[in-house]
Amino acid sequence: MKKLSARRRHPMAALVVLLLALAATGGLYAAFAPADEAKADDGAQSLAIEEGKRLYDVGCSSCHGAGGQGGSDGPSLVGVGAAAVDFQVGTGRMPMQQPGPQAPDKPAVYTQAEIDQLAAYIASLGPGPAQPNTSAYDPAEGNSAEGGELFRTNCSGCHNFTGQGGALTHGKEAPGLDDVDPRYIYEALLTGPQNMPSFPDSTLPEEQKQDIIAFLQEVNTSESATPGGFTLGGFGPVSEGLFAFTFGIGALIAVSVWVGARTAKARKS
């Protein structure tokens, strides 16, 4: 025991213990670390970026520049993120057929796999919003009543009270949101395409985006209930009520005049 205690007090004892601990830690990490999976993920990501670069060179570089830095016909894509690519290309807005005040939606040119590759390449140019998980835009997770208040506060000025869309200046428009895929609504809120302001999570948290999506699913799909009948394009209760009141009063006056003209007194005169 005296010999062991003497060794513990040796000046090199602490260094030996430290080296043994580091060797043990390294051995355990080498034994249990998922090295193969990490390498496989890195390889798949690199391949997606490579394929995305190839697609970009063919379909996008003429407007956005060879490295996504932008050009005279298209803005820089550095830092826009994968979510912006998924929205713009997935809704067919990009590539544009011709320059104009606004890119309209149309059938997508690329498959979803190709869109993911393009998104991987653009995301590699600079940090930006990533494509959301499915649970982030699930309407079932949102509160439609809360979403209605948020939509009327932040969106109805352009998109109308129930997302029917509206005209903007200089030939632009806020598109209708009827039957839009919830994923694209979420990505539009996140990235702010074209004339629309962006609503990052610091401004509009994920839960509130879900609420807005739930509201739009409630009032603006082909399966939404219309208890009031004709909605007049969702202009809102005041304008719709005024329209109904004006035409209703006009119709009552017209009927009264028509009935009055056919009374016996009116016929004698």
Side-chain angles (χ1 to χ4, degrees), residues 21-194:
L22 290 175
T25 303
L28 291 172
Y29 178 79
F32 296 104
D36 293 340
E37 292 182 9
K39 289 181 180 178
D41 291 343
D42 291 343
Q45 184 68 8
S46 298
L47 181 59
I49 293 173
E50 183 179 338
E51 291 296 319
K53 175 69 165 57
R54 183 181 60 78
L55 293 168
Y56 176 88
D57 289 341
V58 175
C60 316
S61 61
S62 61
C63 293
H64 295 285
Q69 76 278 11
S72 58
D73 295 327
S76 171
L77 300 182
V78 178
V80 300
V85 177
D86 191 58
F87 172 83
Q88 296 284 0
V89 183
T91 59
R93 288 177 166 84
M94 294 290 156
M96 288 184 70
Q97 292 178 335
Q98 59 184 6
Q102 186 166 332
D105 61 332
K106 60 184 184 299
V109 175
Y110 297 96
T111 65
Q112 186 58 50
E114 292 173 330
I115 293 171
D116 291 340
Q117 292 169 347
L118 277 169
Y121 170 64
I122 297 301
S124 72
L125 301 178
Q131 290 167 278
N133 297 321
T134 305
S135 58
Y137 51 81
D138 184 359
E141 300 294 328
N143 183 318
S144 60
E146 297 286 342
E149 293 186 12
L150 290 167
F151 187 87
R152 287 187 288 274
T153 301
N154 298 284
C155 316
S156 63
C158 296
H159 289 284
N160 222 319
F161 288 89
T162 56
Q164 295 292 323
L168 302 176
T169 57
H170 304 294
K172 301 175 182 177
E173 64 173 345
L177 303 177
D178 44 312
D179 288 322
V180 176
D181 190 311
R183 182 174 93 228
Y184 295 137
I185 295 176
Y186 189 98
E187 291 175 340
L189 287 166
L190 191 62
T191 62
Q194 301 183 55

